[in-house]
Amino acid sequence: MKKNLHPKLVPCKIICNGEVVLNTYSTKPEIHVEVWSGNHPFWTGQQRFVDTEGRVEKFQKRFGDSYKRKK
């Protein structure tokens, strides 16, 4: 077996929005995340829009009234 094959594990802080949300072990001392289970809409039950402009608005902005739906 080769020696020193695996990377060293160090205590790690998971940071979200400037707050330490979790302490664990990793090969990196700090990991910065944008979303975690404490602020994810599925786990909190709150709906939050990440995309401010939806598909319909993008379509209307791009094509305007030039696209007419046939009845």
Side-chain angles (χ1 to χ4, degrees):
M1 297 285 301
K2 292 182 180 179
K3 291 187 178 188
N4 300 325
L5 179 66
H6 298 289
K8 300 292 182 195
L9 287 179
V10 295
C12 174
K13 295 178 183 177
I14 309 295
I15 300 171
C16 181
N17 296 329
E19 298 179 25
V20 176
V21 294
L22 184 67
N23 290 317
T24 186
Y25 287 91
S26 177
T27 56
K28 298 179 180 180
E30 285 187 354
I31 299 174
H32 295 270
V33 296
E34 293 180 13
V35 177
W36 68 291
S37 63
N39 66 359
H40 192 276
F42 180 79
W43 300 106
T44 60
Q46 298 174 351
Q47 186 174 4
R48 201 171 79 184
F49 292 103
V50 176
D51 185 21
T52 57
E53 189 176 15
R55 290 183 180 183
V56 174
E57 288 81 12
K58 285 182 184 178
F59 183 85
Q60 288 175 345
K61 185 182 194 181
R62 186 173 179 186
F63 296 104
D65 291 336
S66 65
Y67 178 81
K68 297 290 184 185
R69 186 172 166 187
K70 294 182 182 180
K71 292 183 181 182

